[in-house]
Amino acid sequence: MEASTKAYAERRAEAAADRAASWKQLLRRVRKYRTLLLMTLPAVLYFFINNYLPMFGVVIAFKNINFADGILGSEWIGFKNFEYLFKTSDAYIITRNTLLYNIVFIILNTVLAIALAIMLNDIKNRIVSRTFQSLILLPYLISMVIVGYLVLAMLDVEKGYMNNSILPLFGIGDISWYSETKHWPFILTIVNVWKGVGYLCIIYLAAIIGIDQEYYEAATIDGASKWQQIRSITIPLITPVVSIMTLLAIGRIFYSDFGLFYQVPLNTGVLMPVTNTIDTYVYRALITMGDLGMSSAAGLYQAAVGFVLVLVSNYIVNKKNSDNALF
Amino acid sequence: MQTNRLYQFGIIFIMLAFTLFCVFPFVLLFSASLTNDLEIVRSGYKLIPNEFSLEAYRYMWNNSTDIMRSYGITILVTVTGTAAGMAITAMVAYPMSRKEMPFRNALAFYVFFTMLFNGGLVPTYLLYTNYFDFKNTLLALILPGLLANGFYVILMRTFFAASIPKEVIESGYIDGAKEWKIFCAIVLPLSLPVLATVGLFYTIMYWNDWFNGLIYVTEKQYFSIQNLLNRILLDLQFLQNNTQQMGKGAELVAKLPLDSMRMAMAVIGIVPLIAAYPFFQKYFVKGLTIGAVKG
Amino acid sequence: MKKGKKTAFVLLALVLALTAVLAGCSGSSSGGGSGSGESSGNAAANAGKEGGEASGLKPVELVMVFAGPGEPRDFKEIEAAINKVTQAKINATVKLQMIGWAAWQQQTTLMLAGNEQVDLILSGLGTYSQTVARGQYLAMDDMLEMEGAGVKQALDDLDPAFLNAVKIGGNVYAVPSIRDLAANYGVTMRRDLVDKYNIDLDAIKTYDDLDAVFQTIKDNEPDMIPLVKYGNTIFDTHLNYYRDSLDDGFGTLPGLDNDLKVVNYFETPEYMDLLRIARRWYENGYVAKDIATSTETQYNLVKSGKAFAWLSHMKPGYQAQESKIVGMEMVSKELLPPTTATGNITSIMWSIARNSKDPQRAMMLLNLMYTDPELINLFDWGIEGKHYAKTDDPNVIDYPQGVDPANSGYNLNMGWMFGNQFLSYTWKGDSPTLWEELAEFNRVSKKSKALGFTYDSEPVKTEVAAVRNVFDQYYKALETGTVDPEVEHPKFIKAMKAAGIDKIIAEKQKQLDAWAAQQ
């Protein structure tokens, strides 16, 4: 008993000493790395002004805004602005769509982007490789409204490419694309891949290019096959990048690309069971009401869910290998 | 050797297929911009125009004062924004990548948090217009929301952490170099691929941004090229959808540029970016000299 | 000092009011109305000028914000010319800010959220009651008695019901522009084909009569679609004839009356009949298979020779207007007589923003827009000799030599927006008495029993959000005939009920009853 209290007191004293020491150490480190700290200042300041200062605006989500009283003076209404996200028969559908599409997109885009990056990196002919690189980035450069037109050019019932030129090759009759929901999970996934993979691919390509050539040389001498090299050198060495990119994507899992889900299906009502996501739901809901509180509430809800998910997944990643974690 | 050739052939084939998949719609886009408008209405977009017409480009030529000015704005904003953005991103990302940096995780969290939560448009707008008076200025096209972005910071940090070996920095210390010197003379040259990547992303982002223009700018002389295009596209949609409420929609639609002109604007909006791409590719240099530094 | 200024204001206001009344009166006298309006307008201008200088109105810059398709080439010149007029008359300069249609709602909400200077602002466009609820407009009742007497006079001359219709909680927060404040509904067709196939316009009285017409076109012009949509669906604006949408269309008054009993229009047999017609036309091939997704405007479709007709709301002069836009001779036939609901009036209005630096002066500017033909013609048509030229009839104008619609530096053509359109010139090709016809049209239209009722969706916004999504899911397919109404319509109604339409209707009924009790 006595021994344990004593031990406890000792531990406490030790801990206090540790803390004091660690404070001192921290101070020393701050001094030592003051240049580095100073370097971060412009960005820290910018984020403070651009992102943190306006955050007082989250109160809007809990208010019924009247500008005659000002933002702060408006009436508090609790969670009433959030109700429309849950008290609707669509709540399940929009949450399901948003989540499922995002999960598919994250997995598919990551796998494809890595595969493409590896291939691009392996192509010996520089000019060929660079041409491919530029061209697969093209889709990322155009606005979704235009993409909507291009998809229509492909899928229009009467004038579209699919019905006029491609399906007949396979002996398939006309399909009325814009009135059958079953095609759209695929169409949206394809459009998403088409538009986004080039971008992601560039990131992974940069990661692969950064890998020290010595590893591959050593592996080649050991007689490792291409596939073995990819599995045991390339993939492990770009894991930190993959992991971070995935964590960031998880943070945005409750967000959806409005253009993809609204512009590309041309806001076709019949398709809504498979194209309605949280963002399109909110957009449609507020298009005439223009309620600031409600749109702010939607954003807060999406961010909060993403935030919790990232904290959890970051915790798990951190346990396994802190190099791959966000923070 | 044989399998290697086969492998080369295989990957080129796959890449070619994928590239065609990416490019095909652009052929449609380009061809539509060269098609007579009424012909588009009649028979839709075709790979090769049924009725060739330069009308859309002629229209733009006639409005070239507006379009050239918008180009100028876009280029100015893109160059300034990219340069400034890259600088502050690299400056914050590099310290974050150093394991021994104090407050490293706190900083990462601080940056990451901005990616998820924001105050929404109204407070941001009020901040920039009431306190900084950015309305109808070029700064409004550069600063709000674009200049630094958590995603790029974290991306760059990850690359720095992964591709700059500790030994390199330590050897810099041993040589008595100051932090700035190490950053400029060692870290940056070793990180060309990621700098090129982030630089490219910045360029695309600034080039394609139309939202700031839509929110902070009402005067024509500050419209960027994408802003010009998106205004037309969105107006068209809005007017068609709100005919019933406004009782005016349809007749106003008639004043907006036609299909082929919208497509032509999209084309002239992306051509410069494609032209700029090889510039970034130059820095996608393999493996570099890390080994050399280490050795 | 302060007191002196106030007195000066009052004096000036009185002078302005008096001249405005004069202008208004002469404007409404028959025959050559705008001509005499102009002369008295000039008198008003002189009086205003003297008044302005005499009373020493301080110079002020007003910011005027409105929506448009993008600044025309000579916009700055027009602004300068407008400034010359306003400086002389109310010692104010005006900064014109045009905002794109799509950006309008967001941009103006933001502009009015802070302390950015906005004096006069276009209001309505479907968001009047929300903006008032957000406290972004000033009540203008008192100013309408003083500085804005000309506005009030001009509107009351038309029909006092109109100004009454825009009140919210007993106050006026906006004044409607003087334009077509009613709409009739009909079909517009290509004149050449109507003649070619001897289509008897007098025989077309109902939708059912159109079947034969469409069939003729379909049989004889195999490459042509007889009917295209207007707006979002086949009937889009026609629905406004059948019910007063009471702001958002969720909970309506069928027949614009229904003894003020709010019902769900989508549930009525009448709506179902329309859907059956749409379906029949779709199945008979009178509309295109891709009608629900088509992004082409009716104008382009007709112009390209692909389409023959559309159904839309109309007004006097519509036929000439549409012919001009399409570039082909069109012919319009009325199917349903004119009606006016609150929405017709509140769609295009002018308000004074909470942020106004000088509300009185903003009201004076507004007053000029309702009384001063010189200013109105600048807004509507541009600069004489450059953008338009007078013809033999001094009230009828045309393009000057060498100017055409394509190269004109100012062809906004949005006279219905800038105050009192009836004081502007008429364009060659339009009826010279167009404004008288429009005034008459506004007068005889059937007024909704709920005219003047504005609805606040705040208490049921959760339900409105859900119902709006259900509506978006079904209405386009149903109203274009793309889906079978017998199957889909019951689903639509069921989904609406699940989303809470009944609660919305109950709330609307409550507000309507309260409103009716006050009348």
Side-chain angles (χ1 to χ4, degrees):
Chain A
M1 182 80 186
E2 200 172 297
S4 78
T5 9
K6 200 173 160 197
Y8 175 71
E10 258 168 35
R11 262 211 312 273
R12 273 192 53 170
E14 241 170 64
D18 271 359
R19 262 203 305 276
S22 72
W23 267 113
K24 220 178 268 168
Q25 210 189 345
L26 183 69
L27 261 174
R28 211 170 28 237
R29 273 168 66 211
V30 167
R31 194 148 33 177
K32 182 171 173 201
Y33 294 109
R34 61 180 185 279
T35 325
L36 289 184
L37 284 168
L38 268 173
M39 282 167 79
T40 67
L41 214 57
V44 168
L45 208 64
Y46 176 76
F47 284 127
F48 181 72
I49 292 169
N50 185 69
N51 300 74
Y52 284 92
L53 269 185
M55 272 188 208
F56 81 87
V58 293
V59 299
I60 292 176
F62 304 96
K63 290 196 168 222
N64 183 15
I65 290 295
N66 184 330
F67 285 102
D69 306 327
I71 291 178
L72 296 177
S74 295
E75 164 202 12
W76 291 97
I77 54 167
F79 283 90
K80 197 161 184 298
N81 284 329
F82 290 82
E83 277 175 11
Y84 78 114
L85 294 165
F86 307 101
K87 267 178 63 180
T88 154
S89 42
D90 289 335
Y92 165 71
I93 292 182
I94 57 174
T95 315
R96 178 202 68 187
N97 285 349
T98 312
L99 268 176
L100 281 185
Y101 277 116
N102 271 325
I103 291 170
V104 172
F105 292 171
I106 292 174
I107 295 172
L108 202 62
N109 285 1
T110 308
V111 171
L112 275 173
I114 293 174
L116 289 172
I118 290 174
M119 287 192 271
L120 277 176
N121 185 53
D122 280 349
I123 290 178
K124 288 244 166 63
N125 187 323
R126 273 270 181 82
I127 298 173
V128 172
S129 169
R130 287 188 171 181
T131 314
F132 286 154
Q133 273 178 51
S134 327
L135 293 178
I136 61 172
L137 193 66
L138 268 182
Y140 185 77
L141 306 179
I142 43 170
S143 92
M144 269 295 182
V145 185
I146 301 267
V147 175
Y149 289 130
L150 295 177
V151 171
L152 180 68
M154 296 297 298
L155 301 182
D156 192 285
V157 187
E158 288 171 356
K159 299 179 288 195
Y161 256 85
M162 283 305 262
N163 282 359
N164 282 345
S165 316
I166 298 176
L167 290 183
L169 291 180
F170 301 96
I172 304 171
D174 281 5
I175 295 176
S176 48
W177 297 97
Y178 287 90
S179 45
E180 293 172 29
T181 50
K182 63 179 183 217
H183 308 299
W184 282 85
F186 300 102
I187 296 171
L188 292 175
T189 308
I190 291 171
V191 173
N192 181 270
V193 164
W194 174 77
K195 194 152 170 28
V197 155
Y199 188 81
L200 206 56
C201 174
I202 301 283
I203 296 176
Y204 292 131
L205 184 62
I208 293 172
I209 283 173
I211 295 174
D212 197 331
Q213 288 299 304
E214 280 175 11
Y215 292 114
Y216 291 106
E217 281 156 23
T220 318
I221 293 165
D222 289 350
S225 71
K226 191 78 221 168
W227 177 240
Q228 281 168 330
Q229 290 183 19
I230 292 172
R231 240 185 32 197
S232 51
I233 300 173
T234 315
I235 302 283
L237 283 176
I238 62 169
T239 299
V241 181
V242 177
S243 158
I244 300 282
M245 296 302 294
T246 311
L247 282 173
L248 293 180
I250 288 172
R252 302 194 58 83
I253 207 158
F254 256 47
Y255 292 90
S256 56
D257 182 343
F258 174 76
L260 178 67
F261 292 96
Y262 187 86
Q263 310 284 13
V264 173
L266 300 172
N267 185 20
T268 306
V270 184
L271 303 176
M272 274 168 62
V274 293
T275 58
N276 212 5
T277 60
I278 295 174
D279 292 273
T280 56
Y281 177 82
V282 169
Y283 178 80
R284 289 194 177 96
L286 304 184
I287 192 165
T288 47
M289 284 191 287
D291 192 296
L292 296 174
M294 288 163 88
S295 61
S296 172
L300 192 58
Y301 164 60
Q302 290 173 308
V305 175
F307 186 58
V308 171
L309 287 177
V310 170
L311 286 188
V312 172
S313 31
N314 189 61
Y315 178 77
I316 297 169
V317 173
N318 215 343
K319 279 260 143 139
K320 289 194 168 152
N321 181 351
S322 67
D323 278 351
N324 298 343
L326 258 176
F327 39 77
Chain B
M1 207 59 213
Q2 191 60 39
T3 52
N4 209 349
R5 279 265 275 294
L6 204 65
Y7 176 70
Q8 280 294 315
F9 183 77
I11 55 178
I12 290 187
F13 182 77
I14 296 172
M15 281 311 303
L16 189 68
F18 187 79
T19 308
L20 284 179
F21 164 70
C22 287
V23 169
F24 178 71
F26 285 89
V27 183
L28 281 182
L29 178 77
F30 185 61
S31 144
S33 74
L34 287 170
T35 309
N36 177 295
D37 252 297
L38 299 180
E39 185 52 35
I40 296 183
V41 179
R42 272 192 291 268
S43 45
Y45 302 139
K46 289 269 178 275
L47 270 186
I48 298 149
N50 279 358
E51 224 176 283
F52 185 79
S53 154
L54 280 174
E55 192 50 45
Y57 291 94
R58 201 171 301 137
Y59 169 85
M60 288 198 293
W61 181 250
N62 289 340
N63 290 287
S64 54
T65 28
D66 279 359
I67 289 179
M68 289 324 279
R69 189 183 44 226
S70 304
Y71 251 137
I73 295 284
T74 299
I75 291 170
L76 186 66
V77 165
T78 304
V79 171
T80 329
T82 304
M86 291 272 292
I88 78 169
T89 301
M91 274 161 59
V92 70
Y94 167 63
M96 279 166 69
S97 75
R98 293 278 299 271
K99 280 235 161 65
E100 61 283 21
M101 235 286 281
F103 309 119
R104 173 174 179 263
N105 268 339
L107 202 58
F109 187 83
Y110 178 84
V111 169
F112 167 72
F113 197 75
T114 63
M115 290 177 64
L116 284 183
F117 290 92
N118 60 65
L121 193 55
V122 174
T124 313
Y125 179 88
L126 291 185
L127 180 79
Y128 279 116
T129 53
N130 286 1
Y131 297 100
F132 291 108
D133 211 7
F134 276 2
K135 184 103 191 222
N136 283 322
T137 62
L138 276 178
L139 282 180
L141 300 179
I142 297 175
L143 285 179
L146 298 173
L147 187 63
N149 158 330
F151 178 69
Y152 299 156
V153 173
I154 289 173
L155 186 69
M156 225 191 242
R157 177 207 74 168
T158 310
F159 271 91
F160 283 152
S163 64
I164 313 284
K166 244 185 24 220
E167 303 85 33
V168 178
I169 293 166
E170 274 161 14
S171 72
Y173 272 133
I174 292 164
D175 293 346
K178 291 266 180 329
E179 292 288 359
W180 272 109
K181 181 100 196 276
I182 296 175
F183 177 62
C184 296
I186 302 177
V187 174
L188 291 184
L190 278 179
S191 314
L192 287 181
V194 68
L195 292 179
T197 308
V198 173
L200 176 69
F201 291 173
Y202 260 112
T203 308
I204 296 176
M205 180 183 71
Y206 271 110
W207 189 276
N208 275 348
D209 180 69
W210 48 271
F211 189 74
N212 275 8
L214 204 66
I215 296 299
Y216 295 104
V217 169
T218 54
E219 278 168 26
K220 204 160 83 171
Q221 75 247 38
Y222 297 118
F223 285 179
S224 69
I225 194 92
Q226 297 294 344
N227 189 356
L228 217 55
L229 173 64
N230 273 283
R231 274 169 195 268
I232 294 166
L233 295 174
L234 297 177
D235 279 1
L236 185 76
Q237 228 165 35
F238 176 84
L239 292 173
Q240 273 176 331
N241 287 335
N242 289 280
T243 313
Q244 205 183 80
Q245 283 78 35
M246 287 176 50
K248 289 289 171 205
E251 60 191 77
L252 294 165
V253 169
K255 294 206 188 79
L256 297 172
L258 303 167
D259 276 325
S260 61
M261 292 172 199
R262 282 177 255 146
M263 297 299 156
M265 284 189 77
V267 170
I268 63 162
I270 46 180
V271 166
L273 270 184
I274 304 174
Y277 192 65
F279 170 77
F280 294 101
Q281 270 178 339
K282 226 171 46 192
Y283 299 101
F284 274 72
V285 200
K286 241 177 229 180
L288 253 149
T289 46
I290 298 180
V293 177
K294 263 194 276 184
Chain C
M1 178 71 198
K2 233 180 186 168
K3 212 168 175 186
K5 206 155 77 186
K6 208 165 182 183
T7 329
F9 263 133
V10 175
L11 262 175
L12 175 88
L14 280 176
V15 173
L16 275 175
L18 191 70
T19 50
V21 171
L22 279 174
C25 292
S26 52
S28 60
S29 66
S30 63
S34 35
S36 49
E38 191 195 30
S39 54
S40 60
N42 283 338
N46 294 333
K49 190 171 177 177
E50 282 156 24
E53 282 169 1
S55 58
L57 269 182
K58 255 207 339 227
V60 33
E61 186 184 55
L62 298 171
V63 177
M64 177 172 166
V65 180
F66 54 93
E71 295 180 10
R73 199 174 59 238
D74 296 343
F75 195 62
K76 290 284 168 223
E77 262 177 76
I78 305 289
E79 190 182 66
I82 284 169
N83 273 316
K84 230 183 259 165
V85 177
T86 53
Q87 233 160 359
K89 289 178 183 164
I90 57 172
N91 200 19
T93 52
V94 184
K95 194 162 166 244
L96 303 179
Q97 281 201 356
M98 188 190 283
I99 292 169
W101 297 105
W104 175 259
Q105 193 188 340
Q106 193 170 43
Q107 177 109 60
T108 52
T109 302
L110 290 171
M111 288 171 87
L112 299 180
N115 53 17
E116 210 169 323
Q117 187 189 351
V118 174
D119 297 288
L120 208 52
I121 182 166
L122 182 75
S123 63
L125 300 178
T127 59
Y128 175 48
S129 56
Q130 291 91 323
T131 320
V132 172
R134 279 200 294 266
Q136 295 182 318
Y137 296 149
L138 291 179
M140 45 211 288
D141 305 72
D142 295 343
M143 288 185 276
L144 275 174
E145 297 298 330
M146 309 287 288
E147 296 87 350
V151 179
K152 191 168 186 306
Q153 183 67 41
L155 279 164
D156 284 349
D157 278 351
L158 222 51
D159 191 332
F162 293 137
L163 200 51
N164 225 17
V166 300
K167 285 187 180 162
I168 293 184
N171 290 324
V172 174
Y173 291 92
V175 290
S177 70
I178 296 184
R179 58 177 198 280
D180 46 324
L181 294 166
N184 59 343
Y185 307 88
V187 59
T188 303
M189 300 170 280
R190 259 175 69 170
R191 160 94 62 178
D192 55 341
L193 295 177
V194 168
D195 292 344
K196 185 170 167 194
Y197 299 112
N198 292 320
I199 292 165
D200 180 10
L201 291 179
D202 295 332
I204 305 173
K205 292 195 178 68
T206 65
Y207 297 129
D208 294 340
D209 298 334
L210 285 168
D211 282 63
V213 177
F214 296 155
Q215 189 64 43
T216 311
I217 299 298
K218 186 173 186 296
D219 291 343
N220 296 297
E221 305 280 340
D223 290 335
M224 195 173 257
I225 312 159
L227 182 70
V228 289
K229 68 177 172 182
Y230 177 91
N232 276 322
T233 69
I234 294 178
F235 294 110
D236 199 319
T237 52
H238 275 223
L239 287 184
N240 285 341
Y241 171 81
Y242 295 104
R243 84 285 187 269
D244 183 337
S245 69
L246 300 179
D247 192 51
D248 56 10
F250 305 139
T252 60
L253 292 183
L256 294 92
D257 186 325
N258 208 34
D259 272 333
L260 295 184
K261 189 176 169 331
V262 181
V263 299
N264 182 4
Y265 183 72
F266 304 112
E267 261 187 279
T268 59
E270 194 177 61
Y271 182 68
M272 191 60 191
D273 286 343
L274 288 175
L275 297 187
R276 289 201 179 101
I277 294 171
R279 182 63 177 169
R280 186 174 76 222
W281 288 348
Y282 180 82
E283 290 195 316
N284 288 348
Y286 301 156
V287 295
K289 287 268 174 282
D290 61 357
I291 180 166
T293 48
S294 169
T295 54
E296 285 301 338
T297 63
Q298 69 277 12
Y299 300 123
N300 283 351
L301 285 163
V302 171
K303 207 187 287 186
S304 69
K306 207 137 182 181
F308 167 68
W310 68 77
L311 295 173
S312 69
H313 68 300
M314 311 195 300
K315 60 182 179 183
Y318 184 75
Q319 183 172 313
Q321 171 192 309
E322 300 300 276
S323 301
K324 203 153 61 182
I325 295 174
V326 177
M328 277 183 195
E329 200 61 29
M330 301 299 290
V331 53
S332 294
K333 169 75 173 113
E334 177 185 273
L335 298 173
L336 307 162
T339 58
T340 298
T342 310
N344 291 82
I345 298 166
T346 57
S347 60
I348 309 286
M349 301 189 288
W350 289 95
S351 292
I352 294 174
R354 185 182 59 83
N355 299 0
S356 174
K357 295 273 181 289
D358 193 338
Q360 271 78 22
R361 206 74 70 89
M363 181 52 96
M364 290 179 199
L365 173 62
L366 194 60
N367 201 57
L368 285 182
M369 288 165 58
Y370 281 74
T371 52
D372 187 283
E374 189 186 356
L375 186 73
I376 293 166
N377 278 315
L378 272 171
F379 272 120
D380 292 3
W381 303 120
I383 296 164
E384 188 179 350
K386 189 170 168 106
H387 304 116
Y388 69 86
K390 288 192 174 162
T391 60
D392 302 336
D393 182 336
N395 289 315
V396 176
I397 54 172
D398 197 358
Y399 287 112
Q401 206 138 40
V403 178
D404 61 50
N407 70 14
S408 172
Y410 187 82
N411 52 1
L412 272 188
N413 223 338
M414 297 197 302
W416 40 265
M417 181 186 282
F418 301 109
N420 190 349
Q421 188 178 21
F422 294 0
L423 293 186
S424 72
Y425 301 121
T426 53
W427 201 263
K428 196 179 165 194
D430 288 333
S431 159
T433 55
L434 183 59
W435 305 141
E436 285 79 11
E437 287 164 38
L438 263 181
E440 183 62 18
F441 179 73
N442 290 339
R443 232 186 318 270
V444 300
S445 72
K446 178 181 172 185
K447 309 283 186 293
S448 167
K449 197 163 183 186
L451 192 68
F453 166 66
T454 40
Y455 151 73
D456 178 12
S457 60
E458 178 65 28
V460 285
K461 59 186 185 181
T462 304
E463 287 74 18
V464 173
V467 169
R468 164 79 46 197
N469 268 273
V470 171
F471 174 72
D472 264 15
Q473 184 173 345
Y474 287 97
Y475 85 105
K476 263 195 217 170
L478 281 168
E479 291 177 26
T480 52
T482 326
V483 294
D484 184 359
E486 312 297 338
V487 180
E488 295 295 321
H489 180 259
K491 289 191 206 161
F492 178 34
I493 299 303
K494 210 174 130 215
M496 280 206 134
K497 287 211 191 300
I501 182 83
D502 292 329
K503 200 172 161 200
I504 298 175
I505 290 175
E507 172 65 28
K508 221 178 223 183
Q509 186 73 61
K510 201 178 91 194
Q511 292 186 20
L512 186 62
D513 289 344
W515 171 83
Q518 282 179 352
Q519 298 302 303

